[in-house]
Amino acid sequence: FIALAGGPGANIVVIPTAGEDATYGPDCDCLKMFKALGATHLTVLHTRDRQEADREGFVSPLKSATGVWLVGGRQWRLVDSYLGTRTEAEIKLVLARGGVVGGTSAGASIQASYMVRGARSGNEIMMAPGYEQGFSLMRGVAIDQHVTARRREADLDAVVVKRPDLLGIGIDQSTAIEVKHDGFGVIGVGHVFIHDGKEQPNGGHYYLLQAGDRFDLTRLAPSAQADR
């Protein structure tokens, strides 16, 4: 992520709003991993006030950012604070300028056009009215996380059945997808679960990608295994 943002000297904005704390300062624990990896220009951006999130002064760090990282927690907090605000718009402009947006857990799910596990009452609810719209950095998809660790292997099936226009992407811990334009590659030690609504030979409704595999978002098929 740091390399994609431009290296250790890149301007990286870290957004910890999905977490439980009311405030996060410049000494936020969310910066530790970036500092450990050599990043030197880090800014924490956080508010629970939608009006503040819409203010020009608040979003100013995003205007020069080449990387934005969305920390994990509960994705409904990101919706309440930022969806439809100038902050969301500026995050999208980071991508438009050739920057990178990343995140873990809630910070991954919010990047999809359809957001799963958004219910304020509990993260076991996959489809929560009022909390189904993500930031749409990836369109036509729903992104789940912690798949194997929390036994969520089949959870996206129900979403894809009700919304056949969506591709379900479930990501294991210690695993990521690197998305560029019309495709993504898999990195890490776990698997990525692809839910496309089609029954697989093993009787399930998803198949697995692993490190090194690539997926074509135009054809909605693995790049090297088009007939899979």
Side-chain angles (χ1 to χ4, degrees):
F1 172 82
I2 293 171
L4 291 171
N11 289 323
I12 296 174
V13 173
V14 180
I15 301 178
T17 306
E20 295 182 357
D21 293 352
T23 61
Y24 294 92
D27 58 346
C28 177
D29 285 347
C30 59
L31 301 183
K32 285 183 177 179
M33 69 175 181
F34 293 99
K35 292 178 178 178
L37 292 169
T40 56
H41 290 81
L42 300 166
T43 302
V44 176
L45 193 69
H46 169 71
T47 185
R48 302 243 182 252
D49 184 341
R50 289 181 57 82
Q51 289 187 336
E52 177 72 2
D54 226 10
R55 194 172 60 83
E56 185 73 21
F58 178 79
V59 302
S60 60
L62 291 169
K63 293 182 178 295
S64 60
T66 54
V68 176
W69 187 264
L70 298 157
V71 180
R74 292 297 307 282
Q75 44 266 49
W76 63 262
R77 296 188 181 108
L78 293 167
V79 171
D80 283 355
S81 293
Y82 303 126
L83 187 68
T85 70
R86 189 171 296 181
T87 298
E88 181 193 355
E90 290 293 340
I91 291 172
K92 291 177 177 176
L93 287 175
V94 172
L95 285 182
R97 295 193 301 268
V100 60
V101 178
T104 57
S105 193
S109 288
I110 191 68
Q111 295 184 54
S113 54
Y114 185 90
M115 192 182 75
V116 298
R117 303 190 192 277
R120 295 174 65 107
S121 58
N123 63 8
E124 73 283 353
I125 300 171
M126 293 298 289
M127 307 178 79
Y131 288 93
E132 296 173 281
Q133 175 64 47
F135 288 169
S136 297
L137 305 184
M138 286 187 73
R139 294 182 292 274
V141 303
I143 299 174
D144 202 8
Q145 9 77 11
H146 307 297
V147 176
T148 303
R150 300 186 183 177
R151 298 182 179 180
R152 294 174 171 178
E153 289 87 348
D155 286 5
L156 278 170
D157 284 346
V159 177
V160 174
V161 166
K162 292 183 179 179
R163 288 287 307 272
D165 56 312
L166 297 173
L167 177 73
I169 304 174
I171 305 175
D172 268 343
Q173 293 183 186
S174 301
T175 310
I177 60 172
E178 182 182 330
V179 184
K180 291 185 177 179
H181 304 297
D182 57 357
F184 65 79
V186 180
I187 57 178
V189 301
H191 292 93
V192 170
F193 295 67
I194 300 296
H195 301 250
D196 59 5
K198 300 174 183 176
E199 186 171 352
Q200 300 301 314
N202 61 8
H205 290 82
Y206 60 84
Y207 59 89
L208 305 181
L209 302 178
Q210 59 188 3
D213 287 344
R214 298 200 58 79
F215 190 88
D216 187 324
L217 288 166
T218 301
R219 295 171 52 254
L220 297 180
S223 297
Q225 299 177 358
D227 297 328
R228 188 170 179 176

